[in-house]
Amino acid sequence: MNSLEKSKIELETIDFLANMRCGVSCSKQEILEAKKLGFTKVVINTSFNPLVSINDVLEPVLQMACSNGQEIYLSINNALEFPVKKVETLYPTIVDYGIRRLILGDANGKMDPFTTYNKLRLFINSAQCPVEYVGCNNYGMATANTLSALRAGIEYVATAVSSIGIPGVAAMEEVLMAVKHLWKNERVPDGYSIATDCENLLYKAGIILPGEKAIIGKNVFAHESGIHVDGVIKNPNLYEVIKPEEVGLSRFLVIGKHSGTSSLIQKFKHSNLTLSPEEATILLEKVRNTAILQKKPLTDSQLKTLYYLYIGSGESNIHLRGKGEMLCEQE
Amino acid sequence: MSRNKSFEIVDTTLRDGEQSAGVVFSTEEKVNIILALDKANVKWIEAGIPAMGKQECEDLKLMLKLPIKSNLIAWNRANLEDLKASIECGFKFIHVSLPVSDLHIEYKLQKNKAWVLDQLKKCLEYLKGCRTTIIVGAEDASRADPEFFLQYAAVAASYGAIRIRYSDTVGCLDHFTTYNKIKSIANRCPLPIEIHAHNDFGLAVANTLAAYRAGANFASVTVTGVGERAGNASMEETTVSLKHFYGYDCGIELEALPSLAETVAKASERTLFPYKPIVGSLACNVF
């Protein structure tokens, strides 16, 4: 049996329903629906409402979930806006019904990364069950707030690839790689395929991953600016905290408006060709003008043409090996 | 937390933003972006790099003629040729930049700290006779020895620079480390600090807010966050967050942000990610 067949069988034997949580609102009807669909884990979504006693609303729903034998997770999506004491009033109910985890949210995005940290430290101190945190990305703070949650001692945090969601949550790739590379936590597995995995997942959801997306975007290791290219060639650590291979991407040079002579020299060097500093200076002006005119970086073909026109060494078949270009070329 | 001083936005869309691989703004686009930024009350605009050549200078001269209130800044490496180009272009606001981390000084410049201070002095000495306002940049400050950063800032201050840019050039800070680093130097720094964050771990805006809390007085941003690698702190998220979390009005017309974002997205030939906060097509309306 080859490894593909083996993976297929493994996938088939994973009991997805047993491992997934089904989100329901505070409704007996939905609890029943979830059970009918085969879910054993349910997340009951509620929020604090000043007009209603949350315990009154929850009791009947929890009773039903319990008698169904379902594993219950309780989510209070605006919990962080309220004093810890308010959440503490739920602990007796949580204990009575054997609720697995309390999920605390910041649905209106009221907390910044520092207030999130402070608030969650208070929650952790008085917690009588495991606590999970869901960040809100309405203001772009979800990743930072989620890192704050982890720093505060929260052991379960919500993420989504590229922060997708309405509202979005923390970006999975950002949280994982920040914990691994910025916090030097060795328990986080290698991200050597994270870029491709995330791109594929989004693609299946009909979403195109932006090239500039932190950690996983194709262009985050693309360098054009002369100063940066020069630096990256000398020592990648100058401009890169993580190596492209660590997330499954590759570094590449873009020849465009901001390129410097060292970009050109390096580009030609990749193809075992020597460009002198003088030649690079001549070529650079032409490169810049072309890039400005077409509002795009140059293709290898264009670069070659400029070389023939302005440097022209008599060689009629210089070959610039670009990304994905085939080795033999027919003219 | 000393929060009574001002906190101003410095836009670098046309400079750091355009350095994003593959982005090229046409002359017309640059003019439109500047006019839109000015209309939105952005006081500081880093317009470009005169040392890049004739074409660039022509564009910059055109921009300097625009009837705007914003201050246009020319970015320069620390050498006299760059500075000369900026002066000849007609700039009144000059940004001079040098790296301050051992890593950059040794491997990129292949020099030493003494040389960096000396070179800064040479450049500022040259600018003395030019009737310009000086802003000094400290590249890779986030990985630099804080004492050297302060020494460097002291030199800048002695020549009358109006602020010093603290760059997290590689985007390696998180909001905790940003807060701690800025807090520890803010009171001892002879100049107001401008935080310049990059988004390699999606933390550029969080870091900018952390710097605000820690005592910085300026922030470099770009519209939509366009910039090197994963980009810079986005103007939309930074300004809206300042208002939302801290009640701080940095003076920018927030309602102008969505259309500014669209303009820059179009000019960069990049569709805004639908889930992008504030300005994405699926973003929650926070206005």
Side-chain angles (χ1 to χ4, degrees), chain B residues 28-100:
Chain B
E28 193 185 338
E29 283 164 347
K30 287 191 224 178
V31 167
N32 287 337
I33 290 169
I34 289 191
L35 292 174
L37 288 169
D38 179 60
K39 193 145 177 255
N41 285 335
V42 175
K43 193 172 159 196
W44 303 98
I45 299 174
E46 206 164 73
I49 309 176
M52 274 186 62
K54 217 178 98 192
Q55 174 81 54
E56 181 81 356
C57 279
E58 274 167 28
D59 283 355
L60 291 169
K61 281 182 185 158
L62 197 76
M63 294 190 250
L64 285 165
K65 290 205 181 86
L66 295 171
I68 54 176
K69 305 182 306 289
S70 307
N71 296 320
L72 297 186
I73 306 164
W75 190 92
N76 300 268
R77 292 166 299 183
N79 66 58
L80 300 188
E81 275 141 35
D82 276 32
L83 296 174
K84 195 156 175 260
S86 294
I87 304 292
E88 282 174 2
C89 212
F91 276 93
K92 292 284 168 258
F93 293 87
I94 305 281
H95 179 108
V96 190
S97 189
L98 276 162
V100 294

Side-chain angles (χ1 to χ4, degrees), chain A residues 141-199:
Chain A
M141 286 298 114
T143 292
N145 286 357
T146 300
L147 291 175
S148 288
L150 292 170
R151 180 60 66 88
I154 300 284
E155 293 181 325
Y156 303 91
V157 294
T159 65
V161 170
S162 208
S163 286
I164 61 174
I166 303 171
V169 297
M172 182 201 77
E173 66 279 5
E174 289 169 13
V175 173
L176 279 180
M177 294 295 104
V179 172
K180 185 174 179 69
H181 294 284
L182 297 185
W183 293 0
K184 312 286 184 212
N185 187 319
E186 287 171 357
R187 283 183 295 155
V188 179
D190 282 327
Y192 66 86
S193 69
I194 199 169
T196 6
D197 292 340
C198 288
E199 192 188 4

Side-chain angles (χ1 to χ4, degrees), chain B residues 222-255:
Chain B
T222 63
V223 177
T224 74
V226 64
E228 292 272 2
R229 304 182 312 275
N232 296 50
S234 93
M235 179 184 290
E236 311 81 58
E237 288 164 49
T238 302
T239 54
V240 171
S241 291
L242 283 168
K243 185 84 203 286
H244 174 74
F245 295 119
Y246 313 120
Y248 185 81
D249 181 358
C250 59
I252 300 214
E253 246 348 289
L254 300 182
E255 290 73 34

Side-chain angles (χ1 to χ4, degrees), chain B residues 204-229:
Chain B
V205 182
N207 290 347
T208 302
L209 299 181
Y212 163 81
R213 277 175 150 250
N217 293 107
F218 295 85
S220 310
V221 299
T222 63
V223 177
T224 74
V226 64
E228 292 272 2
R229 304 182 312 275

Side-chain angles (χ1 to χ4, degrees), chain A residues 277-315:
Chain A
E278 295 75 34
E279 288 172 337
T281 309
I282 298 170
L283 202 54
L284 188 64
E285 203 204 322
K286 309 302 172 193
V287 162
R288 282 189 182 159
N289 291 342
T290 310
I292 289 169
L293 223 84
Q294 63 185 22
K295 258 178 73 69
K296 269 186 181 46
L298 273 69
T299 62
D300 286 355
S301 184
Q302 289 180 310
L303 191 55
K304 240 201 294 187
T305 308
L306 288 179
Y307 182 89
Y308 288 152
L309 289 175
Y310 296 102
I311 313 292
S313 65
E315 287 176 48

Side-chain angles (χ1 to χ4, degrees), chain A residues 161-164 173-174 195 198-199 202-203 206-221 249, chain B residues 20 199 224 229-231 269-277:
Chain A
V161 170
S162 208
S163 286
I164 61 174
E173 66 279 5
E174 289 169 13
C198 288
E199 192 188 4
L202 290 178
Y203 182 76
I207 298 169
I208 310 280
L209 179 63
E212 63 276 6
K213 174 69 190 60
I215 309 291
I216 54 176
K218 280 204 165 61
N219 292 336
V220 300
F221 294 99
L249 291 170
Chain B
S20 180
N199 206 34
T224 74
R229 304 182 312 275
E269 295 188 21
R270 290 182 179 178
T271 337
L272 286 174
F273 190 49
Y275 300 94
K276 190 164 174 53

Side-chain angles (χ1 to χ4, degrees), chain B residues 94 124 133-136 153 155-164 190-192:
Chain B
I94 305 281
L124 299 182
T133 303
I134 303 165
I135 298 152
V136 172
V155 171
S158 71
Y159 283 86
I162 59 168
R163 62 177 179 262
I164 182 128
L191 291 174

